[in-house]
Amino acid sequence: MASEIQVLQGMDTLAYVRLLENEKTERGQLIPYQTSLSFEPQRDTDTTKTKSGTVSTTSALETDLEVEFVNNISKVSDDLYESLFKNKKIEVWVVYRKRKNSQGQYYAWYMRGIVSDDSNDNDPDDNSTRDVTFTIDGEPQKGWLTLPDEAEEELAYVFRGMGVVSDSDQTGQGVAWAAKDRGIGADATPTGKA
């Protein structure tokens, strides 16, 4: 019996970026509040008809990468402007959060380039949005990467208890629900009391 083919959802495909000059001092950062990500590697082809049949030619690989997001005040959104205005190289990772290898690493594309266009829309009755286009150098590379622990927290907050949150206890004495918790628990009312 053939295994079931899994579908990848757009919601689980995310872009992370970092100015190349900061590779030794910071990790790649999630572009906050992404609404759309378009990753389009392409190669133009042409054919010439000859008396012996058609002969095809191909051009160099080009990669279109575009990310739309709700405009925000963050280091990442400022770094995107820095790449555009100062012509600074930027690293980009397109990460598929639902595709993992046996080591628990995520499937991803890695690219380098610059921000070549940053369109900002500011309608009076809506959130400010940005549409950023990257010009990618060479061929994108695919592989597997490890997301830092705080990556999940960037996407959705995690369960916390009501205790004090500190450097030594980030959960406030809470424990997140796990599948093994199904059917676990007891009536909180002590026996023999109403």
Side-chain angles (χ1 to χ4, degrees), residues 1 39 41 52 61 98 129 193:
M1 179 177 175
F39 171 56
S52 304
L61 182 72
K98 296 295 183 181
T129 60
K193 299 196 176 176

Side-chain angles (χ1 to χ4, degrees), residues 167-187:
D167 289 339
S168 61
D169 180 10
Q170 294 289 313
T171 66
Q173 299 176 344
V175 178
W177 179 270
K180 66 179 176 52
D181 294 331
R182 290 186 185 112
I184 302 294
D187 187 344

Side-chain angles (χ1 to χ4, degrees), residues 66-116:
E66 185 176 350
V67 178
E68 295 179 43
F69 61 97
V70 175
N71 201 4
N72 58 79
I73 300 170
S74 68
K75 181 182 182 313
V76 174
S77 62
D78 289 343
D79 283 350
L80 294 170
Y81 280 137
E82 187 80 1
S83 175
L84 177 65
F85 288 108
K86 303 294 185 185
N87 198 31
K88 290 186 176 182
K89 292 287 183 189
I90 196 163
E91 297 175 285
V92 184
W93 295 264
V94 174
V95 179
Y96 296 81
R97 290 186 333 134
K98 296 295 183 181
R99 185 174 181 185
K100 292 183 180 181
N101 65 12
S102 59
Q103 288 78 41
Q105 295 175 306
Y106 296 89
Y107 178 76
W109 287 95
Y110 171 74
M111 295 159 265
R112 289 184 184 177
I114 59 164
V115 173
S116 54

Side-chain angles (χ1 to χ4, degrees), residues 48-69:
T48 303
K49 291 183 181 178
T50 72
K51 294 178 182 180
S52 304
T54 58
V55 176
S56 62
T57 57
T58 60
S59 66
L61 182 72
E62 293 180 18
T63 301
D64 291 337
L65 180 64
E66 185 176 350
V67 178
E68 295 179 43
F69 61 97

